[in-house]
Amino acid sequence: MKRVVNCRCIQRVVLSAIGWIDWAFSLLLRVVGPVLVVLANSLIALVSVQWIFGLAPVYVTAPYGVVASGLVHAFGIYLLLNILFNYWGCLLTRPGFPGDHLAAVEAAAERA
């Protein structure tokens, strides 16, 4: 009988420890999360600025001319905007809720 009490006591201690670890990890993510978002956006901006103002004028404009370099710059800006749009779309979407538009897609698929 005494062993059963000890097992229950150990179980309570382990569950309590898991609860505290979960709480601490959640707090850590809430503090570090915004810092990582700012860091990711800063790195994307740094790479973009280096490409547009540093590398592209030297390596693209001279050998290919103005029209081709304009197309390369336009494609680069398109990629930049696409990366930022998708990144922020992922940040602003709650877990488990991909979007409201999926209900319409599923309804159309059921009708077909």
Side-chain angles (χ1 to χ4, degrees):
M1 185 96 168
K2 194 171 187 179
R3 259 184 114 118
V4 174
V5 173
N6 285 339
C7 288
R8 287 183 185 160
C9 183
I10 291 172
Q11 182 181 12
R12 272 191 247 137
V13 168
V14 168
L15 289 176
S16 177
I18 290 172
W20 280 102
I21 291 170
D22 181 48
W23 175 81
F25 189 68
S26 177
L27 183 67
L28 177 72
L29 287 180
R30 289 185 187 272
V31 171
V32 174
V35 173
L36 293 176
V37 169
V38 170
L39 179 67
N41 283 313
S42 300
L43 289 173
I44 291 169
L46 176 70
V47 169
S48 302
V49 167
Q50 288 297 317
W51 167 254
I52 292 171
F53 296 113
L55 296 173
V58 174
Y59 292 108
V60 176
T61 306
Y64 299 112
V66 176
V67 174
S69 68
L71 290 173
V72 169
H73 277 86
F75 184 67
I77 291 171
Y78 167 75
L79 288 177
L80 169 66
L81 293 176
N82 198 359
I83 288 169
L84 289 174
F85 176 79
N86 287 317
Y87 180 70
W88 278 95
C90 289
L91 284 176
L92 298 176
T93 303
R94 294 184 335 200
F97 297 97
D100 297 332
H101 66 283
L102 292 179
V105 172
E106 289 175 359
E110 288 176 1
R111 281 186 237 132

